Amino acid sequence: MLGTTLILPGESDPLTDPDQISTLLAKQIELVVDGGACSLEPTTVIDLVGDEPVLVRQGRGDAALFGL
């Protein structure tokens, strides 16, 4: 799950347009939910796939809520 900002590898600016995200990632994701306008400040990304949460990127959002 991804919320708010999406910064693709090799890019410095986040994608914020849901139509553009759907077009670019159509074969990699099943659904984009348009939550409205968002900040350009990167969000915190936490990988919850394994047994323990892993901090992937510290940004806007408190990783301490996940014990990180």
Side-chain angles (χ1 to χ4, degrees), residues 3-15:
T4 310
T5 57
L6 170 62
I7 303 173
L8 294 175
E11 298 293 328
S12 58
D13 294 324
L15 294 172

Side-chain angles (χ1 to χ4, degrees), residues 10-22:
E11 298 293 328
S12 58
D13 294 324
L15 294 172
T16 58
D17 181 319
D19 293 328
Q20 183 182 23
I21 293 168
S22 292

Side-chain angles (χ1 to χ4, degrees), residues 23-60:
T23 300
L24 289 172
L25 302 175
K27 295 184 181 193
Q28 299 174 26
I29 60 175
E30 292 184 32
L31 175 70
V32 173
V33 177
D34 183 353
C38 63
S39 167
L40 292 179
E41 181 181 349
T43 53
T44 297
V45 176
I46 300 172
D47 181 348
L48 299 172
V49 172
D51 293 334
E52 297 290 325
V54 176
L55 180 65
V56 176
R57 178 180 77 205
Q58 179 63 54
R60 189 172 154 194

